[in-house]
């Protein structure tokens, strides 16, 4: 595994896993959120994001964590492995709420720009979306992965499986 995608529901622990995996395998780590967000939760234009992403995809070794669903088919063309953290909806919701509380007023290290966590209408919609769109998102991820040729697919259903996966590497 030299080019690894880590995808999964919001709040499932993609960043935590990617940090541990990058350390264990000595692979460069790219957080999609760092490429995607400018200060104050303003997304970069799609053209700029696509250019930044492509400059990472052509590198010989990497771990890329994050969803940004429209780019998964492209990323699947460059990766040799996908780790799908297919955690329960309640686990994802708990992760999002816990991350929000832990980082309230601060910008996370995996974010681009200065994007402090704050409670506003957008955050409430985001949290609600974690709950309401979970099944739809899972289905889309499985559909996209089913079309990936010559890609190792690892599906992790919970923290125990994730810890076991890491220990067995």
């Amino acid at each position: 595994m030299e080019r690894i995608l880590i995808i999964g529901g919001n709040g499932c622990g993609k960043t935590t896993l990617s940090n541990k995996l990058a350390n264990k395998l000595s692979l460069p780590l790219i957080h999609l959120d760092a490429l995607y967000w400018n200060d104050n939760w303003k997304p970069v234009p799609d053209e700029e994001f696509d250019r930044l992403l492509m400059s990472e995809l052509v590198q010989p070794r990497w771990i890329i964590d994050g969803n940004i669903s429209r780019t998964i088919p492209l990323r699947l063309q460059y990766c040799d492995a996908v780790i799908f953290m297919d955690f329960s909806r309640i686990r994802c919701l708990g992760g999002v709420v816990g991350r929000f509380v832990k980082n309230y007023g601060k910008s996370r290290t995996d974010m681009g720009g200065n994007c402090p966590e704050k409670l506003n209408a957008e955050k409430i919609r985001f949290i609600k979306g974690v709950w309401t769109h979970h099944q739809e998102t899972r289905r889309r991820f499985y559909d996209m992965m089913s079309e990936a040729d010559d890609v190792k697919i690892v599906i992790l259903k919970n923290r125990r499986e994730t810890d076991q996966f890491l220990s067995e590497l």
Side-chain angles (χ1 to χ4, degrees):
M1 294 190 304
E2 297 282 310
R3 292 176 163 181
I4 304 168
L5 295 184
I6 300 177
I7 60 175
N10 294 313
C12 68
K14 294 181 296 291
T15 299
T16 300
L17 175 59
S18 66
N19 286 326
K20 290 177 180 179
L21 201 56
N23 286 333
K24 189 160 193 151
L25 300 178
S26 299
L27 290 171
L29 175 56
I30 299 100
H31 300 290
L32 282 188
D33 282 341
L35 301 179
Y36 186 77
W37 293 108
N38 282 322
D39 288 345
N40 298 311
W41 299 97
K42 301 290 185 226
V44 301
D46 283 352
E47 302 79 30
E48 180 181 347
F49 175 78
D50 293 348
R51 183 183 50 74
L52 292 168
L53 176 59
M54 186 54 72
S55 71
E56 299 296 347
L57 289 174
V58 298
Q59 299 303 313
R61 304 173 73 237
W62 41 254
I63 295 172
I64 297 177
D65 82 343
N67 293 332
I68 305 182
S69 294
R70 76 173 181 81
T71 69
I72 291 175
L74 174 65
R75 289 183 284 145
L76 285 169
Q77 294 175 30
Y78 286 85
C79 73
D80 59 28
V82 176
I83 300 171
F84 177 32
M85 300 178 76
D86 186 14
F87 285 24
S88 72
R89 176 166 55 174
I90 193 77
R91 171 42 99 180
C92 291
L93 185 63
V96 166
V97 171
R99 179 177 68 199
F100 172 77
V101 170
K102 177 183 173 190
N103 295 293
Y104 187 78
K106 301 180 281 190
S107 186
R108 301 188 328 257
T109 58
D110 60 305
M111 296 298 291
N114 180 32
C115 298
E117 293 286 349
K118 58 186 174 184
L119 187 59
N120 57 20
E122 287 180 38
K123 183 59 74 172
I124 292 168
R125 277 192 299 276
F126 173 77
I127 291 170
K128 182 180 176 189
V130 170
W131 186 259
T132 59
H133 299 297
H134 185 77
Q135 292 302 104
E136 176 186 326
T137 301
R138 287 179 70 240
R139 202 169 25 258
R140 278 197 334 261
F141 286 171
Y142 276 108
D143 288 346
M144 286 185 269
M145 288 185 302
S146 73
E147 299 193 13
D149 295 328
D150 300 320
V151 174
K152 177 180 180 167
I153 297 176
V154 176
I155 297 174
L156 304 171
K157 296 281 192 178
N158 53 49
R159 298 256 186 264
R160 183 182 49 75
E161 287 183 11
T162 303
D163 292 342
Q164 183 177 348
F165 170 75
L166 282 168
S167 70
E168 290 174 358
L169 285 178

